Amino acid sequence: MPFTRTIASALTDSLPDTEAPIAGRAAYQALRQRGLPFVPVHTGGGCFALSLALPDGEVLVTDDNGQIAHDATDHTAWLACFYAAPSSPYDADEDDVTEIYLSDGTLSFADDCAALADALAHWVTARRADTGFVLAS
């Protein structure tokens, strides 16, 4: 089925019974429930990620193929990485990237979304304690 709505709409709007949700929808909602204001970003080539801008870098969430806009039924695993400033996810050196969460692919979709959100909530809390930043909502 072709992707016909905006990524923001696919994450937040009510869906008709005939439309399957994208995988990023459940991850986005789980992250928001934990107070993490991730937003969708286009990463190129028709791919989208969830992004959280921090004062010292950016966290990106994708599946293990670099995409959130695929059918939830086709989901395999979530990946969350922090890209330290001044690098960006598009030009980061290995030393500037911290893997926060990588599913091993054995969890159910719902459990993977919850584990992703829990791991990010813990990581952000620890980073906030270390740096004192405040999340924008």
Side-chain angles (χ1 to χ4, degrees):
M1 175 168 133
F3 190 66
T4 57
R5 60 173 64 233
T6 67
I7 190 68
S9 172
L11 294 174
T12 62
D13 292 350
S14 296
L15 301 177
D17 292 339
T18 57
E19 185 176 341
I22 62 169
R25 183 182 182 94
Y28 176 83
Q29 291 170 349
L31 292 163
R32 288 288 182 148
Q33 288 171 352
R34 286 158 181 84
L36 301 173
F38 277 80
V39 297
V41 294
H42 184 249
T43 57
C47 291
F48 295 90
L50 296 175
S51 171
L52 178 65
L54 300 175
D56 58 346
E58 178 180 16
V59 176
L60 281 186
V61 172
T62 67
D63 74 348
D64 55 346
N65 290 314
Q67 175 70 291
I68 64 165
H70 60 277
D71 274 342
T73 56
D74 296 332
H75 177 74
T76 55
W78 289 121
L79 169 65
C81 292
F82 172 71
Y83 299 87
S87 293
S88 79
Y90 312 104
D91 67 1
D93 291 329
E94 232 176 85
D95 294 340
D96 297 329
V97 180
T98 302
E99 185 178 287
I100 302 167
Y101 178 82
L102 175 59
S103 173
D104 65 6
T106 62
L107 297 174
S108 70
F109 177 65
D111 288 344
D112 195 19
C113 291
L116 166 75
D118 288 343
L120 282 164
H122 291 299
W123 185 86
V124 167
T125 298
R127 190 154 194 92
R128 186 182 306 140
D130 289 346
T131 64
F133 74 83
V134 177
L135 287 175
S137 47

